[in-house]
């Protein structure tokens, strides 16, 4: 345990969605008001993955991502599964027959305290256009699982940012390339 673990936490600044904090020598960002996130892996009956493309201001460009959304930003105590189902339909126009919780994960624990709950959307079916709410400008992509790595590379070549959570689906191709290069 580091000496910083017992230091008091100081909130330096807080907005509606994030707060900057200091604890000992560490500075980091956290979600405000106990808000959490759900990230959705949705694979349809024809083995196609549902992805979203959205402009992200901090990156200054579009980003390819798994569908995701906030849990509890409008309703305190909102269940993760309910938020994930709502966000999947808002962002992509797909409705899942069932949401399965796959665990809690942290994407950048040295800088951000935010975690997300990874969920699997079982048997998603298209019920609407998607695209998000309030001008989110989300573009929905339906990509065959066998083509995900190639699709990601095409998006990267076009200058799009790639969300780290896509490594979940890219690991087999990345590890296969690495093991061939090492031997």
């Amino acid at each position: 345990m580091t000496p910083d673990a017992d230091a008091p936490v100081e909130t330096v600044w807080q907005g509606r969605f994030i707060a900057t904090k200091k604890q000992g020598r560490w500075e980091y960002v956290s979600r405000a008001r106990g808000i959490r996130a759900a990230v959705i892996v949705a694979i349809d009956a024809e083995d196609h993955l549902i992805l979203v493309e959205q402009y992200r201001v901090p990156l200054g460009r579009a980003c390819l991502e798994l569908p995701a959304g906030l849990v509890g930003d409008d309703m305190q105590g909102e269940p993760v599964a309910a938020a994930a189902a709502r966000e999947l339909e808002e962002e992509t126009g797909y409705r899942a027959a069932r949401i399965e919780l796959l665990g809690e994960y942290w994407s950048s624990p040295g800088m951000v305290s935010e975690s997300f709950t990874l969920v699997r959307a079982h048997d998603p079916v298209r019920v609407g256009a998607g695209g998000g709410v309030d001008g989110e400008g989300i573009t929905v992509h339906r990509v065959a699982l066998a083509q995900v790595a190639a699709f990601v590379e095409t998006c990267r070549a076009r200058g799009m940012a790639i969300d780290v959570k896509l490594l979940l689906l890219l690991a087999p191709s990345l590890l296969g390339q690495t093991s061939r290069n090492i031997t």
Side-chain angles (χ1 to χ4, degrees):
M1 179 110 36
T2 70
D4 298 311
D6 294 328
V9 176
E10 173 192 352
T11 299
V12 177
W13 175 86
Q14 181 169 325
R16 182 174 172 210
F17 293 104
I18 62 169
T20 56
K21 297 185 177 187
K22 183 171 181 171
Q23 183 174 1
R25 298 169 295 162
W26 287 87
E27 297 173 347
Y28 63 95
V29 178
S30 69
R31 287 274 184 195
R33 301 179 289 118
I35 295 171
R36 299 179 2 218
V39 176
I40 306 137
V41 177
I43 301 170
D44 68 18
E46 298 169 339
D47 282 337
H48 284 77
L49 176 68
I50 310 305
L51 295 171
V52 294
E53 174 185 336
Q54 184 175 7
Y55 184 83
R56 294 297 190 178
V57 171
L59 305 179
R61 58 184 164 159
C63 187
L64 184 66
E65 310 170 5
L66 291 169
L70 298 178
V71 179
D73 61 331
D74 290 328
M75 182 177 77
Q76 191 81 345
E78 179 180 32
V80 172
R86 172 181 48 77
E87 290 288 345
L88 179 66
E89 191 167 336
E90 283 176 8
E91 288 194 357
T92 70
Y94 283 81
R95 184 176 296 152
R98 180 173 65 91
I99 299 288
E100 176 185 7
L101 303 181
L102 300 177
E104 187 175 17
Y105 298 87
W106 287 260
S107 58
S108 187
M111 188 173 137
V112 179
S113 68
E114 177 193 36
S115 67
F116 63 90
T117 301
L118 185 64
V119 305
R120 170 77 189 263
H122 289 273
D123 305 316
V125 294
R126 189 103 195 219
V127 296
V133 295
D134 299 327
E136 287 180 302
I138 295 171
T139 301
V140 180
H141 298 281
R142 183 176 173 265
V143 182
L145 280 176
Q147 298 301 313
V148 169
F151 183 74
V152 166
E153 285 312 308
T154 298
C155 291
R156 187 187 317 276
R158 289 190 351 229
M160 195 178 301
I162 308 300
D163 189 308
V164 68
K165 291 175 282 303
L166 286 178
L167 287 173
L168 170 73
L169 297 148
L170 296 174
S173 65
L174 293 173
L175 293 175
Q177 291 172 353
T178 301
S179 65
R180 282 193 301 264
N181 292 338
I182 291 172
T183 55

